[in-house]
Amino acid sequence: MARPAQRTLRFLPGDPPGTADVRFADGRPFHGLDLTTGRHVAEHPCAADLYRGEFTVLDAGRWRTVWRVGGPAKDLEITTGYVRVG
C-alpha cells in the first residue's frame, strides 16, 4: 500500500565533489553517498532492521533512491525522486 511519508535529511558536501555525508536532521550520521559513477549502494542498520538504499542518477538534474527495508519490525520499499531546483 502506497502512503505519503516525510523526513528531513542533511546532505553535507563531501570531498571529492559528487560525494556527500548524509545525516539525520538532528545531526546523527545516516550514510555516505558517492554519485560520481551514477550509482551508489548504502546500508544503514536501524535496531534489528536493515535499510539498503540504491541511488541512481537519471540525468544532470534528477536522481532516485530505492530503500529496501527488512527485519523483524519492517518489510517495505521506499522510492524517492530528487530534482535539482534553482
Side-chain angles (χ1 to χ4, degrees), residues 29-46:
F30 187 18
H31 62 84
L33 180 60
D34 182 347
L35 294 176
T36 58
T37 66
R39 186 172 182 277
H40 181 80
V41 175
E43 291 187 347
H44 176 78
C46 184

Side-chain angles (χ1 to χ4, degrees), residues 51-74:
Y51 284 67
R52 184 174 190 276
E54 295 180 26
F55 300 77
T56 305
V57 174
L58 303 173
D59 58 37
R62 300 178 306 133
W63 54 288
R64 177 184 62 232
T65 304
V66 178
W67 285 99
R68 290 176 179 84
V69 187
K74 298 174 185 161

